[in-house]
Amino acid sequence: MHTRTAKLALALLGATLLAGPALAQETIKIGVTQPLTGAFAASGNYVAQGARIAETEINAAGGVLGKKIQLVVEDNKSNPTEAVATVEKLIVRDKVPVIMGAWSSTLTLAVMPKLQEYKVPMVVETSSSGKITTSGNPYIFRISPTSEMEAVAFKPLVPKLAIKKADFLNTNNDFGIGSAAEYSKMLKAQGVAVGVMETMDPKATDFSAQLTRIKASGGDTLFVTTAVEQVTLILKQAKELQLNTRIITTGGSNSPDQLIAQAGDAANGSFHTVFFPPWFPEVVTNPEPAKRYMDEWKKRGHEPGGLTEGFRGYDGIYTIVEAIKIAGKAEPAAIKDALWKTKVKGIYGNIAFIKQGPAGSESGQNIPSVYLVKIDGGKVVKSGL
Amino acid sequence: MDQLLQHALNAMILGGTYALLGIGLTLIFGIMRVVNFTHGELYAFGAYMMYMWVMLIGANFVVSIALAVALGVLLGAGIEILLLRRLRGADIDTTMLVMIGAWIAMQNTEQLVWSGVAKSIDSPFPSAPLVMGGVSVSWTRLFVFAVAVMLIAGTWVLIQKTRLGKAMRATFQDREAAALMGVRIDRVHTATFAIGSGLAAAAGALLGPVFVVYPTIGDLASLKAFAIVILGGLGSIPGATIGGFILAFMEELGAGYVSSGYRDAMGFLLIIVILLVKPTGLFARKERIG
């Protein structure tokens, strides 16, 4: 009796030992680094939620290369030092062959040397600073638009909006400074006068000094570049200070729904660039994935205000999985090469990568669609431009 | 001219809340010698409690402020009894580490409970600002300023005129001697930490409707409070009050006329200059508490 139990136990143990590595190989791990806590927590969580929707869909459809995918999501705490640590952990400990991240431009720029060191590619889903794809890091594949692309897309609207003099208010980081530089360059080339260029700490909540100065400058349009929390406060405080200029926010992380909910009246009349307009999904290049994503977002009970952010994670994971499929194996070098051939019908548009940066070590850059929407009477409407 | 007046008005209003943040922190440091890293989290706690009472429960605005402050006082008392009382006599490094831990734990709890999405609190005041000639200010901010001034004055009276205040001042001057005279040090410490926490929660409850509420709002509040307290002299209530206004004017005028990129640097530049000239801060030597 005893021997039989012992044999059974041994057999079970053996089976478990054998099955262990086999089970582990049945999933393909994809690393994700996002700001789940800290200053950018709201947006980072939306991106992670979008990525989870893609993961579920892909696995329900059979995964990739006959295996299920498994996202390993790490919190970079909105902090560049932590972001570097998450990437190192994902590569060294979890052995992920590819990563998606890291939301803000500052975070993405911080982790880039690590990608080069370990030779692991990363799909950048949100960051817009030009430096990311022009600094010669061949492991970067960005699906979000650069500030320059946004500014170029905006160019035809300058005469339509009759902008004569523009002022700027941007967050004091790679994202804000990069965007203000590109937009002001484009505007100057169009013969628009540029008034004051004000900056603010990414954590600041009071902008009375900057807005008072902007009021004194007397431009007709104010370009604002920061995340949704600060945009909310700027709209409210601009109203308190009776600043009656037209406000346009850039960068696409402005969540107009959240602005309507939180800034109320003060949001009326403001314009916002977005890269996915969930209010009229029929205008996007690929309405089919957009609808699927929106339905699932609703079903999961996520914040409706997060739709304009979550799709970035959704597209990022689809892009990575398509690259793994083309590569035929889940290895960093093969995925990196495959990303150049990857074409995905995503919510960002038809995702494909063109070369940017110094010859020989180019980064991949997608050319997504850019939309300008307006908030009017407490609703998001097409800007009619 | 309008621009200068507007900057001055902005600075006055901002200074009131800075002062309120500063006095809570300086009180705790002066009497307990505790570097309170949870100060900003009490501020965030006050703002979230305000959100809960006004937006989720639907309580009256003014009643909600009182409730948020009362809960802040209770939370402060809880922190003192659970963490700090055990650390009495421990060296300052140990206490600091524990407080840093409490700060991180509290901030993450806020995110767990309220999520990272910013919350806004409706204010009962008209959304159109009060306009006087070329300058304007929102009614909510005027209300905040008035209440902040009242709270600062109230704290002053509490420390100068009440029995508890006397015990607090005695503990500040010499803890052992006060204990020998029959002052119950444990109670004084709990009361001090609770009052300081209540003031931080009050600042959060007042400013929550002006700004929006999210888990990291306490970080900047904490940073400003530390700057104000160092500027005014550790432990000095008049110092913290005046320090709050000086910092606000410095930031506002610096951002308005020099460069907004250095708005936060202006305040710290001033601190460096003042500490070079007067290493104890502006008011620390004349009177340290009350």
Side-chain angles (χ1 to χ4, degrees), chain A residues 36-39 41-42 45-46 172 197-201 203-210 212-213 215-216 229-230 232-233 236-237 239-242 258 261-262 265 303, chain B residues 3 6-7 10 14 108 111 116-120 127-129 131 134 136-138 141 209-212 214 216-217 219-220 251-252 255-261 263-264:
Chain A
L36 303 179
T37 56
N45 278 291
Y46 291 148
N172 201 358
M197 301 195 62
E198 298 290 304
T199 60
M200 60 207 164
D201 185 272
K203 282 187 175 177
T205 51
D206 187 283
F207 314 104
S208 48
Q210 288 94 329
T212 301
R213 199 163 159 182
K215 191 176 172 188
E229 290 81 4
Q230 285 192 328
T232 310
L233 294 171
K236 282 168 87 173
Q237 293 174 21
K239 195 176 177 207
E240 287 168 10
L241 290 169
Q242 293 201 301
Q258 196 170 323
Q262 305 202 331
D265 285 358
E303 289 271 340
Chain B
Q3 195 189 347
Q6 183 72 60
H7 279 307
N10 295 344
L14 190 64
N108 282 281
Q111 181 165 351
V117 180
K119 312 268 187 242
S120 72
S127 66
V131 183
S136 62
V137 61
S138 86
R141 284 192 189 228
V210 174
F211 302 131
V212 287
Y214 46 91
T216 51
I217 47 167
D219 289 355
L220 197 70
E251 282 186 10
E252 183 74 31
Y257 293 102
V258 186
S259 158
S260 56
R263 176 173 181 156
D264 294 298

Side-chain angles (χ1 to χ4, degrees), chain A residues 252-299:
Chain A
S253 289
N254 35 29
S255 184
D257 283 325
Q258 196 170 323
L259 294 178
I260 293 169
Q262 305 202 331
D265 285 358
N268 285 333
S270 58
F271 290 80
H272 309 275
T273 58
V274 293
F275 309 129
F276 169 53
W279 314 276
F280 7 90
E282 68 284 355
V283 306
V284 304
T285 319
N286 301 307
E288 198 267 326
K291 192 180 174 304
R292 215 169 50 213
Y293 154 77
M294 285 174 67
D295 289 347
E296 185 62 25
W297 188 271
K298 200 173 161 196
K299 214 173 94 192

Side-chain angles (χ1 to χ4, degrees), chain B residues 35-256:
Chain B
V35 183
N36 182 17
F37 283 98
T38 63
H39 202 67
E41 295 321 305
L42 260 311
Y43 169 84
F45 176 79
Y48 274 117
M49 287 302 105
M50 191 67 186
Y51 171 74
M52 185 181 86
W53 289 109
V54 173
M55 303 304 284
L56 303 183
I57 298 170
N60 172 282
F61 193 77
V62 178
V63 173
S64 299
I65 293 175
L67 286 168
V69 175
L71 289 167
V73 167
L74 284 178
L75 180 62
I79 293 173
E80 203 281 327
I81 291 166
L82 288 174
L83 295 176
L84 292 169
R85 186 164 292 184
R86 292 153 204 270
L87 292 167
R88 185 87 39 79
D91 59 50
I92 197 161
D93 300 351
T94 313
T95 316
M96 260 209 267
L97 283 176
V98 170
M99 293 316 275
I100 290 173
W103 162 33
I104 295 169
M106 286 169 78
Q107 188 169 98
N108 282 281
T109 309
E110 280 150 24
Q111 181 165 351
L112 203 65
V113 175
W114 301 104
S115 90
V117 180
K119 312 268 187 242
S120 72
I121 303 169
D122 292 344
S123 140
F125 299 98
S127 66
L130 169 67
V131 183
M132 297 163 291
V135 300
S136 62
V137 61
S138 86
W139 289 99
T140 315
R141 284 192 189 228
L142 273 181
F143 169 77
V144 168
F145 180 72
V147 177
V149 169
M150 270 157 44
L151 282 170
I152 294 166
T155 310
W156 170 263
V157 170
L158 177 92
I159 286 168
Q160 292 301 324
K161 307 285 179 198
T162 66
R163 229 179 121 74
L164 175 65
K166 204 181 226 175
M168 284 162 84
R169 279 180 287 143
T171 310
F172 171 70
Q173 281 174 1
D174 190 329
R175 187 192 292 170
E176 280 72 29
L180 287 171
M181 295 302 126
V183 173
R184 299 176 68 168
I185 302 295
D186 275 350
R187 279 198 190 169
V188 169
H189 279 206
T190 307
T192 305
F193 203 83
I195 293 167
S197 299
L199 290 170
L206 289 169
L207 290 179
V210 174
F211 302 131
V212 287
V213 190
Y214 46 91
T216 51
I217 47 167
D219 289 355
L220 197 70
S222 216
L223 188 69
K224 301 281 180 200
F226 274 102
I228 292 157
V229 167
I230 295 166
L231 190 63
L234 290 162
S236 162
I237 288 187
T241 309
I242 294 165
F245 283 100
I246 291 178
L247 185 70
F249 271 91
M250 200 59 199
E251 282 186 10
E252 183 74 31
L253 298 177

Side-chain angles (χ1 to χ4, degrees), chain A residues 138-149:
Chain A
Y139 296 92
I140 285 291
F141 292 83
R142 165 155 58 181
I143 59 174
S144 52
T146 64
S147 301
E148 188 190 1
M149 288 176 170

